[in-house]
Amino acid sequence: MIWVFMLVNVVLNGAMTAITLHLVQIGTAPALVGLVSTAVGIGVLAGAVLAGVLVKRVRVGALTALTIGMFGLALAVMAVLPTFWGFVGALTGAMLFAPALNAGMLAYVTAITPGHLQGRMSATMGLTSLVAGPAAPLVGSLLLAHLGIGPALGVLAGVWACLFVALFLVRPLWRIGLPDTWEHDVVEWTAAA
C-alpha cells in the first residue's frame, strides 16, 4: 500500500499542479483559480462527514477500488472537458471518497501492525508523503508544458487506470473487510523484526 499511496499522491497532486498552472496560463482570475482548490476542500469536508459511515458499512477493499475508480473517472472527465467548471465539478465529486479511503486504509494498517512496530509504520507512511511531494509538481508541470492540459490529464488518467487495474487484481486487497474483522489480519512479528 506504500506504493499505492505514493502513486496516488504523485498523480493527484500532479493533476492539481497542471490544472492550476493551466488556469494561470490562460489568464483565469485569481479568485477563480482559488475556487478550484476550494472545490477540492468542499469535496474533502463533505467526504469527511461520510467517512465514518462508509468505513463502517463498506469493506475497505471495495472502498479502495471505488475511490480509485472515482478519481480515475474524474481525471478522464477533466481530460475530455478541460474547462474551469469541468475541473470544479470533477474534483469536488472525486474528493468525496478520499477521506473514507484514508481513514479506512490507515486504520486498517494501524490495526494489523503490532504495537512495537507502530513507530516504524508511521515513519514509513510519513516518508512516502515526503518522497511523493517534490515529484508531483514536476510531473504535472512537465506534462502540461509538453502536452497541454487535456492530453496531460489524459496521461494521468491512463496511469490512474493502470493503478485501478493493478489494485483490482490484488486479491489480498479485496479480502480487507469491515473494522470488526481486522483483528484476524494482525501481523505476528517478533520484537526483533
Side-chain angles (χ1 to χ4, degrees), residues 1-85:
M1 292 314 297
I2 290 170
W3 291 104
V4 170
F5 286 133
M6 279 194 343
L7 188 56
V8 162
N9 282 327
V10 168
V11 173
L12 185 60
N13 292 321
M16 287 302 300
T17 298
I19 290 166
T20 302
L21 291 174
H22 168 72
L23 291 172
V24 170
Q25 266 182 339
I26 63 170
T28 304
L32 293 179
V33 174
L35 187 58
V36 172
S37 293
T38 301
V40 170
I42 289 169
V44 169
L45 288 173
V49 172
L50 298 172
V53 173
L54 287 173
V55 171
K56 287 179 185 173
R57 295 195 175 138
V58 180
R59 297 174 55 89
V60 171
L63 184 60
T64 301
L66 172 68
T67 304
I68 298 297
M70 287 295 295
F71 284 163
L73 179 62
L75 282 168
V77 165
M78 291 185 297
V80 173
L81 188 65
T83 65
F84 174 78
W85 291 111

Side-chain angles (χ1 to χ4, degrees), residues 154-168:
V155 167
L156 293 172
V159 170
W160 204 273
C162 292
L163 173 64
F164 179 76
V165 169
L167 284 176
F168 192 79

